Amino acid sequence: MKRNYSAFAEDIPAYSGPKAARETHADLKQLSAIPGHIYTRPDLQILPGQRRFSKMPWLVPMLELLPPASISHLKEWGLSTIFVLAKNYNKLVHVWESVTAMVELWHPQTNSFIFPEFEATILLEELEIMLGLPRYQRGEESALSYTVEQINSWSILAYITTKKNDLYSMTSGMHVHLLPIAQWITSQCKRKTTNYTAIAKAAAICICGVILFPEADGAISFGNLSIIDSISEGMKNGQAVLGFLYAGLTSEALEGSFYGSVVALELWMGMHIQFRAVEDLTMECKTMLNHPLAYVGGRLHMSPRAWCKTAQVKGIHAWRQNLRSLTVADFDMRPRFMHGRTIHLPQRTGLALRLLGNGVLVSYNPDRCHLQCGAARMVVPLLSHFPPIQERKRGDTQDERDMHSAVVHWEGCATSAIQAEVEEDDEAIAEYIEALKKLQPAGRDA
């Protein structure tokens, strides 16, 4: 993974201040005023039935053939939770009505969900814990997964096979097809070959392609192939996964296609909105039986014996009404699995962090979601001078400079520890809600 910083050893230019942020980006508008936002198109049906989220009949049979040595490699690389989710993927039922209603509240400039009284987003730390991914720690910026050069898919796949016929079947255009890779794994396992590391690498491509980077029907992009390949090298890929999901939410909110980890989104919705742990329940929650939490909830302090707060919410209209009237009390700001966790925040007001990935640089504004981050808010953060979504051009000098700048900002970011409760200033809350009214949807009716 080539990263040449020597040409950019000079100091990163200092932040130019709030004035630049105000001049670069217009004030936030109501979602209904954003051109092309699906909030204004209640009749639009995009998500249900998309083939990129269809069942994979080849996935579970292939995983059941994996030798123990290859499974050990996957666990060593931090993919235990992804492996469990992949083995049970065909049992999961995506509730597209709830996902659609959530996407309608996604603001493409703040990269957050706009509720009547607060903003919320999927935090990097939440995503890493929910999916069991290796966690980013201060001082590990060099281990953040991304590339700055053009990606040669064959050089990555060559570790699996060097047969040209296999390589041709696995790739087309700018995508890698998962089914031929799964077929190669199956043949290797049935022949009882001892190439356990190569089998594990191939399996990682398949399970990460399905759970973390669903983009096309049974295929992933070259960029995401590079991210997955770096996992075996000890690289941290949480930022790439979250940035890809953010970009997919923005694409869908603006009437484009939806991509990204819908499993991560549903885990997040389950922990914050749908379920609440109740210790004295004796019966299992039927709503959770086909939810991702049914398989990974234990590590998040959420058992199937939970109370489903949205059990009576059925259909797109009911989900819209529920989410557009959601209050602070209805949203579990600090689930138990986040208590005591350290949250990384921007260095200063108006300067967002950016999530590193292979496709785009994505603005990350956790400080806007102060109730999640566990700190009382006295002012509404200004918009960053960074564009919300910045397309990358690998191999470009400016791109390498931008990535280096993003790494430096992560290296110097602030941190905050999440507490079980946060003391709030009532006057500050009132002032914040008044400012938030400029961002929230104009109406709550479906």
Side-chain angles (χ1 to χ4, degrees), residues 13 15 51 78 103 172 176 322 364 391 397 408 437:
Y15 172 54
R51 296 178 66 199
V103 174
S172 66
V176 176
N322 177 274
Y364 181 56
E391 296 287 340
T397 302
V408 169
K437 287 179 180 177

Side-chain angles (χ1 to χ4, degrees), residues 6-177:
S6 59
F8 310 109
E10 67 271 16
D11 293 336
I12 301 300
Y15 172 54
S16 54
K19 182 179 179 181
R22 288 194 297 268
E23 292 176 348
T24 305
H25 293 295
D27 292 337
L28 288 174
K29 301 176 181 179
Q30 296 174 344
L31 295 177
S32 57
I34 298 175
H37 199 287
I38 63 171
Y39 182 85
T40 63
R41 295 284 307 277
D43 58 320
L44 203 61
Q45 297 292 328
I46 297 180
L47 294 179
Q50 281 194 337
R51 296 178 66 199
R52 64 175 56 84
F53 299 108
S54 60
K55 304 306 180 185
M56 307 289 180
W58 48 264
L59 182 61
V60 175
M62 177 270 290
L63 294 178
E64 290 178 343
L65 291 175
L66 291 182
S70 296
I71 295 176
S72 296
H73 282 306
L74 294 175
K75 292 180 179 179
E76 178 187 342
W77 301 335
L79 295 177
S80 297
T81 301
I82 306 302
F83 180 76
V84 171
L85 288 168
K87 284 198 70 173
N88 294 281
Y89 183 74
N90 289 343
K91 301 176 185 177
L92 302 181
V93 176
H94 300 309
V95 183
W96 291 116
E97 293 85 357
S98 64
V99 174
T100 301
M102 280 296 296
V103 174
E104 289 176 352
L105 300 180
W106 179 258
H107 202 298
Q109 190 167 33
T110 64
N111 287 332
S112 61
F113 298 104
I114 306 296
F115 296 103
E117 298 178 359
F118 63 97
E119 292 177 69
T121 196
I122 305 168
L123 300 175
L124 175 62
E125 290 77 11
E126 289 180 327
L127 179 111
E128 290 174 336
I129 296 173
M130 290 188 302
L131 296 177
L133 301 176
R135 300 179 201 168
Y136 160 74
Q137 302 290 337
R138 179 69 63 81
E140 297 180 339
E141 290 75 27
S142 61
L144 296 176
S145 183
Y146 65 92
T147 58
V148 294
E149 63 178 358
Q150 295 294 340
I151 296 167
N152 186 335
S153 62
W154 279 27
S155 67
I156 296 175
L157 294 174
Y159 193 91
I160 300 173
T161 178
T162 55
K163 295 181 179 179
K164 285 191 175 182
N165 288 339
D166 288 341
L167 292 172
Y168 277 121
S169 68
M170 292 178 182
T171 60
S172 66
M174 295 298 293
H175 286 83
V176 176
H177 298 284

Side-chain angles (χ1 to χ4, degrees), residues 209-227:
V210 171
I211 303 298
L212 302 182
F213 299 107
E215 182 177 6
D217 186 25
I220 59 173
S221 67
F222 287 175
N224 289 331
L225 172 68
S226 174
I227 290 290

Side-chain angles (χ1 to χ4, degrees), residues 99 102-103 106 113 122 244-254 257-259 265:
V99 174
M102 280 296 296
V103 174
W106 179 258
F113 298 104
I122 305 168
F244 189 65
L245 176 55
Y246 273 20
L249 288 167
T250 295
S251 172
E252 166 63 11
L254 299 178
S257 61
F258 177 65
Y259 51 87
L265 178 59

Side-chain angles (χ1 to χ4, degrees), residues 289-336:
L289 293 180
N290 298 313
H291 193 279
L293 281 174
Y295 305 102
V296 299
R299 60 194 311 278
L300 304 177
H301 306 287
M302 180 67 74
S303 75
R305 289 180 170 82
W307 171 44
C308 181
K309 298 181 290 182
T310 58
Q312 304 304 317
V313 182
K314 306 292 184 182
I316 183 64
H317 296 295
W319 273 107
R320 282 173 178 152
Q321 184 177 7
N322 177 274
L323 295 177
R324 294 181 189 186
S325 60
L326 202 71
T327 66
V328 172
D330 297 326
F331 190 94
D332 190 353
M333 292 293 175
R334 290 170 293 281
R336 186 178 170 189

